[in-house]
């Protein structure tokens, strides 16, 4: 009988969450490095370079890879010969580990979980509770997998029940383009086939915890129907040309992992969940000998990469920005932003929209005229930082507010990640505005361009408050220009194969 002590388990979960906040899994670094070497699309190559530079900076600086430090998902396989020495339930111990990790004073992580999700959506303050999946299995130890899953990629999870005669590859090829780029490719696809609706979703999530090995599989050749499907989906999704950040390119997925389970003769349940550029998970075993020991990742693992030189981008003075300048920018063009930016994301937009629709004014000091808004919810700063990791959140979620923001506040444009929908593009074109993208998954690198930050409105919203940032050479790409051209349409069209 193995005894697992409460504090060993809590410490292990907490240490694992801190570890994955700043270390990509080694297989992910290797696979992204290979994709970077193969990439021909300049925009996708630069995005991958930013993600890799960011990844190494986070490993060295022990700061989060992404400002979205994720919802915590834990898989436990608990041996039947294990006894817990604890006054808490297993799920409560996991939550305590989450609290300790997210409130770590040396590397505080962003709390993203909200309670009353259909109502008040109050931040729980410590990122608890975690999503915990437990299985009781033969044996005398506990297998633990800890993952932090970004909201942008989790939002793209899809489920369908196909007819048994339907083609799964066809469904994936129809579904992936509809997911847009809000899941921050390049990443992975986890696919669950069979079981029931909830089983297929769980299989898809579990599949994402497996190591990247598609190139080994291709070399040795498939030995099962599932392996054939993995290869077919990997090749054909990459041939869609979506590319890193949806900018168009050769690699959208680094691997496709599939798990299956028997299903009812009448059904073919299929679930698909993407994992993003901030893929974060770790696996360890507890055998009663104390907390997990997590070895640092060797810094030699990161490949040499080259960011696009500053002279290839247009430098912009945000404090003297005019509509006449904005209309000159073209989709795909790279800019370096300097000066004052305002921030705001989902809840701030809702508040602004409610105020304006009631005929009320914006809070004192909040003036968007002649400004750009950056969709971001940063991590709290430490050790003299102006701000913690502060990468972009998905712009598409703000589409419904775009017409109002452009027509009523004097705003000239927005900065986020991923594509804009038809409604937002029409508003951008009508108001001769612009939508820019920064690289999702390069949050620590982006934060180095922010020289000061102060809250100007809605302080009670925490990371969702409106900040004023001063930025120096913040790299962005024009995603939608003032004539309605979108790089998320033209890029994949150009790089699509066949
Ligand atoms: S890389 Fe993108 S999807 Fe992943 S956590 Fe960061 S912002 Fe979210």
């Amino acid at each position: 009988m193995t005894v697992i002590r409460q504090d060993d388990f809590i410490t292990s979960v907490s240490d694992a969450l801190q570890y994955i906040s700043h270390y990509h899994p080694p297989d992910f670094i290797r696979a992204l490095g290979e994709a970077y070497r193969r990439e021909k699309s300049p925009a996708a190559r630069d995005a991958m370079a930013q993600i890799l530079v960011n990844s190494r900076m986070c490993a060295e600086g022990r700061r989060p890879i992404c400002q979205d430090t994720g919802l915590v998902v834990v898989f436990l396989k608990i041996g039947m010969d294990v006894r817990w020495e604890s006054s808490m339930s297993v799920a409560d111990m996991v939550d305590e580990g989450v609290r300790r990790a997210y409130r770590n004073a040396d590397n505080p992580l962003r709390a993203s979980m909200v309670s009353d999700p259909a109502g008040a959506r109050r931040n729980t303050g410590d990122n608890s509770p975690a999503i915990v999946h437990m299985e009781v299995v033969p044996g005398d130890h506990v297998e633990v997998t800890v993952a932090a899953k970004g909201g942008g990629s989790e939002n793209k999870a899809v489920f369908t029940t196909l007819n048994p005669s339907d083609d799964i590859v066809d469904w994936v090829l129809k579904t992936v383009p509809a997911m847009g780029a809000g899941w921050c490719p390049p990443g992975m696809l986890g696919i669950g086939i069979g079981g029931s609706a909830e089983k297929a979703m769980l299989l898809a999530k579990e599949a994402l915890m497996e190591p990247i090995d598609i190139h080994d599989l291709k070399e040795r050749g498939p030995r099962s129907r599932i392996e054939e499907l993995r290869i077919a989906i990997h090749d054909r999704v990459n041939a869609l040309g979506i590319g890193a950040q949806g900018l168009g390119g050769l690699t959208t997925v680094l691997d496709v992992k599939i798990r299956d389970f028997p299903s009812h003769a009448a059904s073919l349940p299929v679930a698909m969940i993407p994992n993003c550029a901030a893929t974060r998970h770790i696996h360890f075993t507890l055998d009663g000998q104390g907390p997990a020991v997590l070895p640092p990742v060797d810094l030699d693992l990161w490949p040499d990469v080259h960011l696009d030189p500053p002279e290839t981008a247009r430098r912009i003075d945000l404090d003297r920005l005019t509509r006449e300048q904005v209309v000159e920018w073209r989709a795909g063009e790279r800019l370096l932003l300097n000066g004052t930016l305002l921030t705001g994301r989902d809840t701030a937009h809702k508040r602004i929209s409610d105020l304006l629709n009631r005929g009320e004014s914006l809070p004192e000091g909040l003036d968007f005229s002649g400004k750009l808004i950056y969709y971001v919810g940063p991590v709290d700063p430490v050790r003299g930082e102006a701000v913690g990791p502060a990468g972009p959140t998905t712009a598409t979620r703000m589409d419904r507010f775009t017409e109002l923001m452009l027509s009523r506040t004097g705003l000239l444009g927005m900065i986020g990640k991923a594509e804009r929908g038809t409604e937002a593009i029409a508003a951008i074109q009508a108001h001769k505005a612009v939508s820019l993208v920064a690289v999702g998954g390069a949050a620590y690198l982006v934060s180095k361009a922010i020289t000061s930050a102060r809250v100007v409105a809605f302080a009670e919203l925490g990371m969702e408050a409106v900040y004023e940032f001063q930025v120096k050479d913040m790299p962005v790409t024009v995603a939608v220009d003032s004539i309605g051209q979108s790089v998320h349409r033209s890029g994949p069209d150009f790089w699509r194969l066949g």
Side-chain angles (χ1 to χ4, degrees):
M1 176 73 66
T2 301
V3 177
I4 306 289
R5 288 194 308 277
Q6 175 175 304
D7 202 55
D8 288 347
F9 184 68
I10 293 172
T11 301
S12 301
V13 171
S14 172
D15 289 353
L17 286 165
Q18 274 290 318
Y19 185 94
I20 62 176
S21 79
H22 53 77
Y23 282 137
H24 266 125
D27 58 314
F28 189 89
I29 300 163
R30 274 187 220 104
L32 188 55
E34 278 167 34
Y36 169 79
R37 279 189 286 276
R38 281 196 308 271
E39 187 55 71
K40 299 274 186 284
S41 154
R45 204 173 144 81
D46 185 57
M48 284 195 259
Q50 287 194 45
I51 293 165
L52 283 162
V53 168
N54 179 75
S55 172
R56 190 185 163 124
M57 284 170 63
C58 295
E60 283 177 318
R62 310 218 162 191
R63 291 293 275 141
I65 294 167
C66 190
Q67 79 289 340
D68 182 351
T69 47
L71 71 88
V72 177
V73 183
V74 175
F75 291 94
L76 298 171
K77 286 193 195 313
I78 302 171
M80 291 162 91
D81 295 327
V82 162
R83 187 172 67 75
W84 296 90
E85 195 178 274
S86 172
S87 57
M88 301 166 79
S89 74
V90 173
D92 285 348
M93 284 190 280
V94 172
D95 285 346
E96 183 54 28
V98 172
R99 269 179 217 112
R100 284 192 199 170
Y102 279 70
R103 288 176 166 172
N104 183 308
D106 200 48
N107 180 32
L109 308 180
R110 197 187 81 182
S112 303
M113 294 296 278
V114 295
S115 62
D116 190 11
R121 297 185 65 82
R122 261 183 304 274
N123 195 301
T124 63
D126 55 20
N127 215 48
S128 68
I131 314 299
V132 185
H133 303 287
M134 293 184 242
E135 225 181 301
V136 179
V137 299
D140 61 357
H141 55 269
V142 180
E143 298 277 341
V144 186
T145 301
V146 176
K149 188 71 166 55
S153 58
E154 190 67 5
N155 285 350
K156 304 298 178 180
V158 274
F159 170 79
T160 188
T161 305
L162 298 178
N163 289 317
S165 59
D166 287 343
D167 188 321
I168 294 171
V169 179
D170 283 351
W171 177 77
V172 171
L173 292 175
K174 256 192 297 180
T175 306
V176 170
M179 286 169 13
W183 61 281
C184 292
M188 296 166 68
L189 294 178
I191 297 180
I193 301 174
S196 53
E198 81 282 9
K199 179 72 178 175
M201 290 304 279
L202 191 54
L203 290 168
K205 184 60 72 68
E206 280 179 301
L208 286 174
M209 305 298 133
E210 294 173 9
I212 295 174
D213 62 357
I214 193 84
H215 295 296
D216 296 342
L217 170 60
K218 284 184 181 177
E219 261 175 39
R220 74 156 161 80
R223 292 184 191 140
S224 66
R225 175 65 186 139
I226 291 299
E227 290 184 349
E228 285 170 9
L229 280 173
R230 283 184 58 200
I231 293 172
I233 293 172
H234 180 261
D235 289 349
R236 293 182 63 189
V237 166
N238 282 334
L240 292 171
I242 296 166
Q245 303 289 302
L247 297 170
L250 302 180
T251 298
T252 306
V253 287
L254 302 172
D255 201 344
V256 176
K257 311 302 293 196
I258 303 180
R259 286 197 176 191
D260 70 343
F261 193 86
S263 69
H264 191 288
S267 352
L268 180 53
V270 184
M272 180 161 65
I273 308 179
N275 221 354
C276 59
T279 284
R280 292 159 290 198
H281 55 83
I282 189 165
H283 178 91
F284 57 87
T285 302
L286 295 180
D287 57 6
Q289 302 299 307
V293 178
L294 308 173
V297 177
D298 181 358
L299 290 177
D300 287 343
L301 197 63
W302 278 265
D304 273 341
V305 296
H306 302 284
L307 298 173
D308 284 349
E311 56 275 15
T312 59
R314 190 197 291 238
R315 266 211 173 80
I316 305 299
D317 180 352
L318 294 171
D319 296 325
R320 286 176 191 75
L321 191 60
T322 62
R323 200 169 299 283
E324 290 67 40
Q325 290 171 333
V326 166
V327 298
E328 283 177 12
W329 305 345
R330 282 294 155 263
E333 189 177 355
R334 291 180 56 249
L335 310 175
L336 292 173
L337 303 181
N338 289 272
T340 311
L341 274 182
L342 291 170
T343 77
R345 43 170 290 161
D346 308 65
T347 311
H349 276 79
K350 176 80 171 66
R351 292 248 183 127
I352 291 166
S353 145
D354 289 348
L355 285 170
L356 294 177
N357 287 335
R358 286 199 303 264
E360 296 173 22
S361 339
L362 297 186
E364 205 184 322
L366 183 56
D367 181 3
F368 288 104
S369 55
K371 293 276 181 295
L372 302 181
I373 189 168
Y374 181 26
Y375 302 144
V376 62
V379 175
D380 287 342
V382 292
R383 296 185 289 279
E385 291 173 346
V387 69
T393 196
T394 307
T396 328
R397 290 201 313 275
M398 262 51 80
D399 280 1
R400 55 188 286 237
F401 301 109
T402 301
E403 168 60 30
L404 176 126
M405 291 295 287
L406 293 176
S407 62
R408 305 274 299 275
T409 70
L411 189 73
L412 290 177
M414 296 77 55
I415 308 162
K417 68 178 170 82
E419 70 288 343
R420 308 306 304 255
T422 313
E423 174 193 8
I425 293 177
I428 290 163
Q429 200 173 354
H431 296 283
K432 299 200 179 333
V434 72
S435 185
L436 312 173
V437 283
V439 173
Y444 193 39
L445 176 65
V446 172
S447 75
K448 295 300 173 198
I450 301 165
T451 56
S452 76
R454 70 178 179 100
V455 173
V456 289
F458 312 133
E460 66 282 8
L461 296 181
M463 63 95 174
E464 293 216 60
V466 175
Y467 291 77
E468 182 190 271
F469 284 171
Q470 295 297 324
V471 297
K472 186 166 172 12
D473 283 350
M474 175 178 166
V476 293
T477 300
V478 180
V480 181
D481 62 23
S482 59
I483 54 171
Q485 299 181 115
S486 164
V487 78
H488 291 101
R489 290 179 185 161
S490 57
D493 280 353
F494 184 83
W495 290 98
R496 190 172 298 124
L497 303 176

